[in-house]
Amino acid sequence: AQSVSQHNHHVILSEAASLELGCNYSYGGTVNLFWYVQYPGQHLQLLLKYFSGDPLVKGIKGFEAEFIKSKFSFNLRKPSVQWSDTAEYFCATANQAGTALIFGKGTTLSVSS
Amino acid sequence: EPEVTQTPSHQVTQMGQEVILRCVPISNHLYFYWYRQILGQKVEFLVSFYNNEISEKSEIFDDQFSVERPDGSNFTLKIRSTKLEDSAMYFCASSTGLAPLPQFFGPGTRLTVL
């Protein structure tokens, strides 16, 4: 069964620092990978997704992720974080039928100004 | 921008009581989902629903749970006899199609079972 694992539970950064959050997925055939963000008090929002094509995917708010097939990784990056990026970040994949998302445990990002 | 809405935002109930959580998916979406997140744990899939029937359910979604689309706009999750361990945040989501098409999530209902 598909699964994703996120290595970092809590990341603390200063503003303008670079960000990389790790995500590894188990291969189950079709690749559908997502990063969602949940800002404090808000709902889950899609940052970006990958299913085929260019392995470097650009999302909203300056985020990007790189799909590396050989490493089974889909890490999220941002060159310079802002205080407003403080949130919980979830990596997710879809099951084979595409009918369900399977989430990682999430990474809490705290950015100090 | 259209959004998924959920009511109530917080529901407190006694163990053994029935609860109904309500969701209004985005209007042109065809697939509907429920997820839950127990405090401190990952978001877990419960059920997906398409064309007035369940298309997928997880092992969490046992006989105590049911879903319904009672009219053209609402999508509900019913828990027949709540247990303490049902306390969680319940998220509704909807999409126009299957993955990789994205799912759009509502703000969640926090269910507290006493």
Side-chain angles (χ1 to χ4, degrees):
Chain A
Q2 274 93 333
S3 65
V4 290
S5 59
Q6 293 181 244
H7 320 298
N8 316 101
H9 179 61
H10 193 180
V11 172
I12 302 171
L13 294 173
S14 300
E15 272 194 317
S18 65
L19 170 72
E20 181 159 3
L21 301 182
C23 173
N24 285 97
Y25 66 94
S26 66
Y27 180 67
T30 306
V31 172
N32 285 306
L33 294 164
F34 307 83
W35 276 98
Y36 279 84
V37 62
Q38 187 174 29
Y39 298 104
Q42 296 189 29
H43 56 277
L44 285 158
Q45 298 173 43
L46 180 69
L47 274 178
L48 46 80
K49 65 183 171 91
Y50 173 81
F51 60 98
S52 69
D54 188 343
L56 186 61
V57 180
K58 294 198 184 297
I60 60 171
K61 302 179 192 274
F63 286 91
E64 64 179 33
E66 186 174 11
F67 171 68
I68 303 180
K69 189 175 178 179
S70 61
K71 294 184 178 179
F72 298 95
S73 70
F74 188 58
N75 291 354
L76 182 72
R77 300 196 295 243
K78 186 170 184 179
S80 175
V81 295
Q82 300 170 308
W83 177 82
S84 57
D85 293 322
T86 295
E88 183 115 22
Y89 291 81
F90 296 93
C91 182
T93 187
N95 65 352
Q96 274 289 77
T99 50
L101 290 179
I102 300 150
F103 285 86
K105 287 188 176 180
T107 298
T108 303
L109 172 65
S110 300
V111 180
S112 58
S113 54
Chain B
E1 188 176 318
E3 291 185 338
V4 176
T5 59
Q6 290 185 243
T7 53
S9 56
H10 192 185
Q11 172 99 41
V12 181
T13 190
Q14 296 290 327
M15 193 167 55
Q17 295 297 303
E18 173 184 288
V19 294
I20 297 176
L21 309 183
R22 291 182 166 78
C23 168
V24 179
I26 295 172
S27 63
N28 65 336
H29 285 190
L30 301 174
Y31 292 81
F32 315 114
Y33 313 84
W34 282 101
Y35 293 81
R36 78 171 185 192
Q37 185 179 27
I38 295 170
L39 191 63
Q41 298 186 26
K42 62 169 74 176
V43 176
E44 300 173 291
F45 168 75
L46 293 178
V47 67
S48 58
F49 191 85
Y50 169 72
N51 200 26
N52 278 320
E53 57 183 36
I54 290 173
S55 51
E56 184 93 34
K57 61 181 181 178
S58 71
E59 57 196 29
I60 302 168
F61 194 87
D62 61 22
D63 292 344
Q64 293 296 317
F65 292 89
S66 63
V67 288
E68 195 178 28
R69 188 151 163 83
D71 53 44
S73 59
N74 290 283
F75 178 53
T76 62
L77 174 70
K78 183 195 289 186
I79 309 175
R80 234 176 299 279
S81 177
T82 49
K83 308 190 210 42
L84 294 175
E85 54 265 37
D86 293 327
S87 293
M89 183 73 94
Y90 288 81
F91 294 105
C92 174
S94 68
S95 64
T96 55
L98 299 175
L101 291 172
Q103 295 180 19
F104 293 85
F105 285 77
T109 292
R110 180 167 298 286
L111 176 65
T112 302
V113 182
L114 302 175

